Amino acid sequence: MMGSIVKKNSSRFFQNRDCEYFPCHDIENIEDFNCLFCFCPLYHLGESCGGDYSLSKSGKKSCVNCSRPHEKGGYETIIAALK
Ligand code: SF4
């Protein structure tokens, strides 16, 4: 069976259960998982992004443990941070 869209897609939310990585992060309610910001627009802010990032030994930023862009309300949080 192909993946299903459980919420109405919009300019603020979409979910692609057919993605081979879905869900790429753990969140409390999978129905709320937002794929819109697959690549977080706050990445360029470095250590000021406000997310749960970590740094590798070589100083590379990793977002593996941050689900902020994908959680319920994540769209609003990210847009507010960009402003
Ligand atoms: S995913 Fe999280 S840790 Fe990575 S840039 Fe976005 S807010 Fe920061």
Side-chain angles (χ1 to χ4, degrees), residues 29-81:
N29 186 353
I30 200 72
E31 308 297 311
D32 291 330
F33 195 100
N34 193 348
C35 301
L36 185 66
F37 295 129
C38 185
F39 185 89
C40 183
L42 304 183
Y43 188 84
H44 73 285
L45 295 177
E47 297 180 32
S48 302
C49 70
D52 188 19
Y53 66 87
S54 59
L55 295 175
S56 70
K57 285 181 183 169
S58 62
K60 289 263 196 258
K61 181 177 170 181
S62 170
C63 303
V64 168
N65 296 320
C66 184
S67 58
R68 192 177 180 202
H70 305 295
E71 294 169 353
K72 188 174 186 178
Y75 174 86
E76 289 77 11
T77 301
I78 298 293
I79 294 299

Side-chain angles (χ1 to χ4, degrees), residues 1-39:
M1 179 179 150
M2 298 294 284
S4 61
I5 303 299
V6 294
K7 290 181 105 173
K8 187 172 170 33
N9 289 327
S10 71
S11 61
R12 294 172 177 238
F13 178 93
F14 82 88
Q15 191 177 94
N16 179 14
R17 293 198 178 199
D18 290 330
C19 175
E20 64 182 298
Y21 302 110
F22 185 88
C24 57
H25 294 265
D26 289 329
I27 70 166
E28 194 170 313
N29 186 353
I30 200 72
E31 308 297 311
D32 291 330
F33 195 100
N34 193 348
C35 301
L36 185 66
F37 295 129
C38 185
F39 185 89

